[in-house]
Amino acid sequence: MIILSQKKDMIGGRYPDETKVEISGAGISATRVCYITSSDTSDFKLNQQPKNRWGREMMKMKKLWVTLSVVLSFMLVFAACDPVGGLNLNNVMKSPLEQISYEGRTSISIEIIPGEDLWLPDNEILGMLSFIPNIEINIDEYKQQDLMTASMAGDISFAGLSIPFAVSVTPREIVIAVEGIERPFVIDTAASLTELDIELDTAQYNEMSLGFTKSLYNYLIPNLPNPDTIEVMFDTTEINGVVQNLRKIHAEIYGHEVFKLIEKLLDNLLKNEQALRKFVEETYDISKPLLVQVFSGLKQSFEMEEWAEPEDTFIFDLLLAYVDNKTLVTEFMQTTLKQIYAFVRGQLDAMKNEAEYDMLNESSYVFADLYVSANSQIVRADYEIFLSPNAEAGGIAINMSTEKWNINQPVEVDLLSSENGIYISEFMDEEEILNAVDGQSMIGQLLTAFGLNEKRVYIWLDEADVIIENNTTLIHSFDAYYELGIDIDWTSYYVDDQIVYTDGNLRVEFPLDRNVMIVNGVEVAIPVGAKKIDYSIYVPLRALAETFGYEVTYDPVFRTVDLVKTYF
């Protein structure tokens, strides 16, 4: 059971100041209170103004990427190159490249550790996650058929509740199925090439991917420094139910050591120009066939256009000539990478003092145990990660465990169908996803508890493209299309004296300069109809929004028209 209660504010009782989420299942109950806005509750809506959205989203993305970069920095420095205890770590860290096929399982647990300053603005991510303080991701069936074909099935669990999911990966697409969402998600990984009429077969793609990854490993790993704490010992562990005697690499890195290790890495990369040249030459040899194929295909597509002139394809001839000059390309790549290394190396001291990297302190750490077989294959990896801005702030504890078996044996994956899938690269992702959610499912209840089962749109009446006529709000036809998440019939827009919107089986027509709209063929009278003003078409907001399922209200305090659409 998932319950959401809200403490109403003083402006019409509509914007939450304090939200309590209770999640209970299997005898477990968790309650959290999070302050979403400041004491001035008007900030909640002020922050929704279009002029502030981009900056806010960029800050959120920056915090997310910084957090991920911290984790990756920790993981990177474990790929040490110097031998320890007679074990060649260089060969060990390259072993995943030789694991073409295998079966395995992975478990990940994420726990929020409360602290006195958990709700400080700098800890926004921790504050958001505190609603669900314990999350477990279990992948019980992972199968890799080759480097580009795999499948997995598992579940995400919290507070005794579980949401099963499955994923399949091929060179053409990634398909994700989640219990409670009636349609699968589909990522068309070959979309960019398909749009260019380029066909890249699986074998060619696998060969290019493996070649580049090997080249990168061979270049990067020998330049990586060892962490201060690393040792090798013999130990027993269980792999797929079978107890094995293996060598274990144990390593520890604390947050305050990361910058020092990155400095050593960059210094090594800057000194080793011979290895850099070899890397860029190998990268050139690997990528040249694809680049030639892309530029040649684009040139051919342009030549087939009726309007094409010889000068229109000159740029592709120039690019093909450039790609064909290995010396020129590799010199440029090598110089560029050296400049990047030097720039980042020069920025490290300043980065140490930036608030975004405050997790790199003595309180944060990563412990790793890698279990290695007799032929230097990593068959199990256990990681314990703790990230905290400071000792008082609490933090995030992450534990990961992965094991593999049947390495380089025949493995058949479980492919998912992409039929009727939601292509998440398309514009209308949000509406498609919410329309596919079963509101009674576990994920539907969770989304409802957090208010994610609805879409809110605020139309500011002071904006230039908003017109008031006879107490009716008219907005630009493109704004309606964008804000409401509905489609425009572009043929009617440019040809007929009307504007037509569609969404699924619903079709709404607005004849220009008539106070009517036509809903699925039925004419309905409205106070003010659509009209053309200075070559732009404006449509009545309330009539359009309510027809497509939005609740429409007016806020006199902020002078906004508030639109709310509840999906389940």
Side-chain angles (χ1 to χ4, degrees):
M1 177 178 61
I2 302 174
I3 304 171
L4 174 73
S5 61
Q6 296 179 345
K7 176 182 175 182
K8 306 298 183 179
D9 63 40
M10 299 178 63
I11 306 180
R14 283 177 296 166
Y15 306 111
D17 181 56
E18 182 180 283
T19 300
K20 181 174 72 174
V21 178
E22 296 182 9
I23 305 173
S24 61
I28 300 176
S29 178
T31 301
R32 287 281 175 178
V33 176
C34 176
Y35 294 92
I36 296 179
T37 69
S38 67
S39 58
D40 179 4
T41 54
S42 63
D43 286 349
F44 178 81
K45 194 166 190 178
L46 288 173
N47 286 336
Q48 308 304 311
Q49 295 185 63
K51 63 183 180 182
N52 291 332
R53 288 178 185 170
W54 178 249
R56 287 168 41 246
E57 292 304 316
M58 287 297 292
M59 286 301 297
K60 289 181 180 179
M61 289 302 297
K62 183 178 181 181
K63 289 183 178 181
L64 175 60
W65 282 113
V66 166
T67 302
L68 291 176
S69 69
V70 169
V71 176
L72 291 174
S73 297
F74 269 128
M75 306 300 289
L76 178 65
V77 294
F78 274 112
C81 64
D82 297 329
V84 175
L87 183 63
N88 189 323
L89 299 185
N90 196 333
N91 292 336
V92 171
M93 301 314 298
K94 292 179 183 178
S95 67
L97 297 177
E98 302 171 2
Q99 298 173 350
I100 306 300
S101 63
Y102 60 86
E103 295 180 72
R105 65 172 59 94
T106 297
S107 63
I108 304 172
S109 66
I110 304 172
E111 181 181 2
I112 305 302
I113 308 298
E116 295 179 6
D117 297 333
L118 185 62
W119 307 111
L120 289 176
D122 286 345
N123 301 324
E124 178 183 358
I125 296 175
L126 300 183
M128 292 171 62
L129 289 175
S130 67
F131 276 115
I132 306 175
N134 299 282
I135 302 174
E136 293 185 2
I137 302 173
N138 295 299
I139 301 173
D140 299 317
E141 298 180 12
Y142 183 89
K143 300 177 182 179
Q144 180 169 302
Q145 183 171 310
D146 54 53
L147 293 175
M148 299 302 298
T149 309
S151 66
M152 67 181 74
D155 62 79
I156 300 176
S157 303
F158 49 90
L161 310 177
S162 177
I163 300 176
F165 68 89
V167 180
S168 69
V169 179
T170 68
R172 307 295 305 183
E173 64 185 14
I174 300 172
V175 183
I176 306 169
V178 180
E179 185 174 279
I181 301 180
E182 298 171 353
R183 299 167 59 191
F185 300 116
V186 183
I187 302 173
D188 187 350
T189 55
S192 57
L193 294 177
T194 302
E195 292 171 359
L196 299 175
D197 295 324
I198 295 174
E199 288 294 332
L200 195 65
D201 61 60
T202 302
Q204 184 183 6
Y205 196 96
N206 283 346
E207 183 179 356
M208 288 179 56
S209 176
L210 179 59
F212 175 76
T213 305
K214 282 185 175 180
S215 180
L216 180 61
Y217 267 55
N218 289 331
Y219 169 57
L220 192 60
I221 288 179
N223 288 295
L224 288 167
N226 281 349
D228 292 339
T229 303
I230 185 168
E231 56 184 339
V232 176
M233 65 198 77
F234 283 95
D235 198 0
T236 57
T237 189
E238 191 174 285
I239 307 294
N240 194 31
V242 178
V243 177
Q244 299 185 31
N245 187 28
L246 303 167
R247 284 177 294 182
K248 181 175 76 172
I249 304 170
H250 176 76
E252 299 178 5
I253 296 179
Y254 289 87
H256 66 284
E257 301 173 342
V258 170
F259 276 116
K260 178 183 68 175
L261 292 167
I262 293 176
E263 287 174 357
K264 290 182 180 180
L265 169 62
L266 291 172
D267 289 340
N268 292 342
L269 293 176
L270 284 166
K271 292 176 184 177
N272 200 342
E273 293 194 24
Q274 184 176 355
L276 176 58
R277 173 168 288 279
K278 181 181 179 182
F279 170 64
V280 297
E281 287 180 349
E282 290 176 348
T283 301
Y284 170 86
D285 293 335
I286 293 167
S287 59
K288 180 184 176 181
L290 176 61
L291 293 174
V292 171
Q293 191 175 359
V294 169
F295 295 144
S296 299
L298 287 171
K299 178 183 177 182
Q300 185 176 3
S301 297
F302 269 74
E303 289 174 338
M304 294 176 63
E305 298 291 343
E306 296 180 358
W307 46 263
E309 299 291 340
E311 58 268 22
D312 294 326
T313 59
F314 171 74
I315 183 64
F316 300 112
D317 292 328
L318 188 65
L319 289 170
L320 286 167
Y322 174 79
V323 169
D324 196 48
N325 190 327
K326 182 174 181 177
T327 301
L328 178 63
V329 174
T330 53
E331 286 287 351
F332 175 79
M333 291 174 61
Q334 185 172 5
T335 302
T336 301
L337 287 173
K338 286 173 61 179
Q339 290 297 316
I340 292 173
Y341 296 157
F343 174 78
V344 175
R345 180 65 176 86
Q347 295 295 311
L348 286 180
D349 287 338
M351 292 169 63
K352 294 175 184 178
N353 299 318
E354 292 183 8
E356 287 84 356
Y357 295 95
D358 58 2
M359 289 190 187
L360 295 179
N361 58 69
E362 296 180 357
S363 299
S364 299
Y365 61 82
V366 174
F367 298 159
D369 290 314
L370 306 181
Y371 293 86
V372 183
S373 64
N375 59 351
S376 297
Q377 294 285 332
I378 299 175
V379 295
R380 177 172 179 143
D382 297 331
Y383 294 96
E384 179 185 345
I385 304 172
F386 183 72
L387 301 175
S388 175
N390 55 68
E392 292 77 28
I396 305 176
I398 304 172
N399 287 277
M400 298 186 293
S401 181
T402 299
E403 59 183 82
K404 301 176 182 178
W405 61 89
N406 286 345
I407 296 175
N408 293 332
Q409 300 300 312
V411 175
E412 184 175 352
V413 301
D414 301 316
L415 294 179
L416 302 175
S417 173
S418 60
E419 184 177 357
N420 194 33
I422 300 172
Y423 283 81
I424 63 176
S425 60
E426 292 183 357
F427 176 71
M428 309 310 295
D429 291 343
E430 180 182 1
E431 282 72 21
E432 281 197 285
I433 294 171
L434 290 174
N435 280 321
V437 173
D438 177 3
Q440 300 304 312
S441 67
M442 192 58 61
I443 192 169
Q445 294 181 54
L446 182 64
L447 293 173
T448 300
F450 284 100
L452 299 178
N453 63 322
E454 62 182 26
K455 177 179 179 179
R456 288 181 174 269
V457 178
Y458 304 119
I459 305 298
W460 299 81
L461 299 184
D462 295 331
E463 294 290 325
D465 280 340
V466 176
I467 296 173
I468 309 296
E469 181 176 314
N470 295 333
N471 293 321
T472 297
T473 301
L474 301 171
I475 66 171
H476 196 286
S477 54
F478 286 177
D479 289 340
Y481 151 76
Y482 175 78
E483 296 288 358
L484 301 185
I486 54 181
D487 291 323
I488 291 181
D489 185 332
W490 296 105
T491 301
S492 68
Y493 184 85
Y494 289 109
V495 177
D496 302 329
D497 291 331
Q498 64 175 351
I499 180 75
V500 179
Y501 293 98
T502 61
D503 187 18
N505 296 324
L506 185 57
R507 177 183 174 91
V508 179
E509 306 170 40
F510 287 97
L512 299 186
D513 300 318
R514 291 183 58 197
N515 294 339
V516 298
M517 65 177 180
I518 303 171
V519 181
N520 286 347
V522 179
E523 191 170 289
V524 179
I526 54 179
V528 179
K531 55 186 59 186
K532 184 174 288 187
I533 302 174
D534 294 333
Y535 304 102
S536 296
I537 296 177
Y538 289 78
V539 294
L541 176 59
R542 179 181 290 274
L544 178 65
E546 289 184 341
T547 302
F548 281 100
Y550 285 85
E551 178 185 350
V552 181
T553 57
Y554 171 63
D555 185 340
V557 176
F558 289 96
R559 280 186 48 78
T560 59
V561 177
D562 299 353
L563 312 176
V564 179
K565 183 174 183 178
T566 303
Y567 290 85
F568 50 85

